[in-house]
Structure formats: C-alpha cells, structure tokens
Amino acid sequence: AARVGAMGGPQHGPEFSVAEERMLEGTWPMDLIRDPTKQPRVVTDPGEFLRELLIGEHLNDCVVLPGGVDLLDMRLDQTFPDDVRQCFESSDTVASFLTSLRSQPNCAAYKLRLMYLDHNKRRQKEVTGSVISPQIRKDTIVEKIDACLEDLNAQRFDANLLYVTELRHQNTLRHPLSGEKVKTIVRKDIKDELGNWAKWTSYWDRFDEGIFVGGRFSGKALHVDQVLWSNVGKNWAGNKLVALWPPGQPSIDVLDDLQNSLFTPPLTRQEANALRSASTIAFVRPGDVFFFSGGVSHTVLSVSPELSLTGYES
C-alpha cells in the first residue's frame, strides 16, 4: 500500500504515463522512484495545502499540490517579467537562455548564480570566474554569462549540466502586491496567497527568492540550506526528481560522504546506495506547487527533455 501522511492524503505517483516512464528510464532506479514508502504526500485542495504549510509537520516529508500553479493563479504569464519569460519560452538549452538574457536591454537589472559539474570529482561548482582565467572574478550577471559562455565554447565543462540558480533582481524593489522590499522577480507568491496568515510564521523570506533553470540531468547538488526553513517550490515547467533524507544523523552522514554531489546518471555505487537511504523521492510535474524542509539533506534533478523552471520562497 502507498504511504499515508499525517493528512491521510493520496500519494503523488507512483503511477506514470507512458511518456513519463520513458522520461524516467536511465535516471534513478525505478524501484526507488516507485517505492510506496518514499512517495510524497499529495493535497488536492489549495486551502488544505496552505494549512499544512502554515501549521503542519513536514520535517521529514514533501507535500505536493498537483496543478497548484493554475489553482493559485500563479501562471508564468501572470507572475514573471516579460523579458525573462520570453527568454525562457524561446530557449531549449540553458546556454541559449543565458544568451537570450544577455541580449536584453534590462539584463544588468538581474543577478544569478551558475553551477557546473566537475567531472573529475562529480561535484557541482559555481562559475565565479572563467575556468580559463580563474584569477578574474566575475560578479555582474553580464560578466558571469560571458565567462560561462567562453568556457562552454572551450568545452571546459558539459553544457547539458549547466544550471541557473537564484535568478533575481540585482537591487531591492517594492513588491507590487505587498509593497515590501524584495529582490524576487516573481510578482505573486504563496506568501501573497496567505495574506495576513503568513505573519503566523517566525520568518518568511522572499526577499532573496530565486529562480532555477536547468536541462535534463542538471540540478542542484546534495546540500542542506543555511537556514532551517521550509522550501516552497512553484514548478512552472519541466519535470524533476526531489530526494530528501531523514533529519538528524542520516542527513549528516550522507552530507559527510556526498556534499555537492549531483546525482546525475549514471550514478556511482555510492550515490545509488545513498538514494536507498532517502526518506522521500518525489516526482514533480509541470504546474505542481510543493514544499519540503530545507533543514534536511536534499538534492534535485531535472529529468524532462525540455528546460525546467522553478522558483523557491522560504
């Protein structure tokens, strides 16, 4: 039987369409992706989803609202700046997205981080300067993109595994709905949907809310967040696998062994064994909204042929 969470809700999967089955072939072991004890909890009612987020217990869980982007009126054309949205919609690779963004008159108004995979160590690293000229630190978005494209042209790392993280405004702006000071580019968040109820939380960060863009088999390497908050994800495009480890010693152990490892296929034996100790492996579909604790070890892998686009507030 499928695992039943605290709310007694149905599980997200493990039933997949034929296209999804093909997509998942060669990613992570299918017996783990299908494992009923590792499924996330599913909430089909937006109100129940928001209630669970606000006052529920989900330290060791991932909660998914299928189709939440539509249910909560957070579609891409409603929430994104036109220039970033158009760059994404016209791109089929991260490199083409960066090239398009680089050409925008307003490009300098944004900032981002770029991650690549060091194949020698299977560890994810950040593009802070050109691999060719690492002594030159590249801090502005234009300099980072130029350095990254230079390295891609020189085939210094795999373009398919390049991952955009934490895309946001360079400078602080007033949020169009709340008026608070933010750097997020997203015009409507879960925080806005909650309204005054969001004040029940000790702290809600969307000042630094980030946007993540990646192609198939790219993603965010194994880590624990710097702040022990909940990550609230809005998945506008693409499919992702999310793996979470139990809190406490299991998270510490896997982090000691595999911190900054990107679980991209083909997996090493150590990575495959680590996935077997994960408490949750969630398959996130386009349009899903979901949340999980950033205080446990976790990793995310994009698995769809098309680019993925996800934003996180915490």
Side-chain angles (χ1 to χ4, degrees):
R3 184 180 62 169
V4 176
M7 294 178 293
Q11 300 306 298
H12 199 38
E15 294 182 1
F16 304 110
S17 68
V18 173
E20 288 172 343
E21 289 272 5
R22 291 172 180 166
M23 180 193 308
L24 290 167
E25 287 178 3
T27 59
W28 294 350
M30 284 301 297
D31 65 310
L32 297 182
I33 296 173
R34 292 182 178 281
D35 189 339
T37 69
K38 296 184 184 296
Q39 298 305 307
R41 283 186 283 159
V42 165
V43 182
T44 56
D45 176 66
E48 191 65 20
F49 177 84
L50 296 175
R51 180 184 182 279
E52 176 65 14
L53 171 62
L54 198 61
I55 62 174
E57 165 58 53
H58 47 268
L59 180 62
N60 194 28
D61 215 343
C62 177
V63 180
V64 180
L65 176 64
V69 164
D70 286 331
L71 293 172
L72 298 172
D73 293 324
M74 295 180 182
R75 292 179 293 277
L76 201 59
D77 60 350
Q78 297 173 303
T79 56
F80 261 59
D82 288 341
D83 55 353
V84 177
R85 177 181 57 81
Q86 290 167 2
C87 288
F88 178 80
E89 291 177 342
S90 64
S91 301
D92 57 1
T93 66
V94 171
S96 62
F97 171 74
L98 293 174
T99 301
S100 180
L101 188 61
R102 172 69 172 81
S103 70
Q104 297 301 309
N106 200 38
C107 179
Y110 302 111
K111 62 187 297 187
L112 50 66
R113 299 174 67 188
L114 297 169
M115 314 301 292
Y116 70 95
L117 185 67
D118 180 344
H119 280 291
N120 293 327
K121 298 181 180 179
R122 283 187 66 85
R123 295 295 191 268
Q124 194 172 58
K125 294 183 177 180
E126 183 176 0
V127 178
T128 54
S130 172
V131 175
I132 301 171
S133 305
Q135 72 276 12
I136 303 174
R137 185 173 176 84
K138 307 291 185 181
D139 283 328
T140 71
I141 186 171
V142 170
E143 290 171 328
K144 280 187 177 181
I145 291 175
D146 286 349
C148 181
L149 295 177
E150 174 190 2
D151 293 335
L152 288 178
N153 288 334
Q155 299 183 337
R156 299 288 176 173
F157 49 80
D158 189 341
N160 295 320
L161 302 184
L162 185 63
Y163 197 58
V164 176
T165 73
E166 299 175 26
L167 171 61
R168 56 176 70 105
H169 284 295
Q170 174 70 34
N171 298 315
T172 302
L173 302 173
R174 292 288 181 179
H175 193 275
L177 295 181
S178 69
E180 64 190 299
K181 294 181 178 180
V182 298
K183 289 188 177 181
T184 179
I185 68 171
V186 181
R187 294 193 286 254
K188 183 184 178 184
D189 286 311
I190 299 295
K191 184 178 184 180
D192 301 306
E193 190 69 23
L194 282 169
N196 286 331
W197 291 106
K199 297 177 181 178
W200 281 41
T201 62
S202 300
Y203 177 69
W204 194 303
D205 178 46
R206 51 109 167 259
F207 179 85
D208 281 328
E209 176 183 9
I211 301 301
F212 295 69
V213 181
R216 182 169 169 83
F217 295 165
S218 69
K220 192 67 178 74
L222 182 73
H223 68 288
V224 173
D225 290 2
Q226 295 177 350
V227 180
L228 305 185
W229 50 27
S230 297
N231 289 320
V232 187
K234 299 174 287 289
N235 193 52
W236 287 285
N239 298 80
K240 290 187 168 184
L241 289 170
V242 180
L244 313 174
W245 278 262
Q249 198 60 47
S251 275
I252 294 171
D253 289 343
V254 72
L255 202 66
D256 284 344
D257 294 337
L258 292 168
Q259 184 173 10
N260 294 324
S261 292
L262 181 64
F263 284 58
T264 189
L267 299 177
T268 66
R269 180 178 298 180
Q270 186 180 29
E271 291 164 347
N273 288 338
L275 277 178
R276 296 197 174 277
S277 67
S279 57
T280 301
I281 295 179
F283 179 61
V284 178
R285 295 175 167 93
D288 286 355
V289 176
F290 60 103
F291 62 83
F292 60 89
S293 173
V296 300
S297 290
H298 57 280
T299 188
V300 178
L301 184 73
S302 297
V303 294
S304 53
E306 64 274 12
L307 288 179
S308 63
L309 179 68
T310 311
Y312 293 96
E313 53 190 303
S314 303

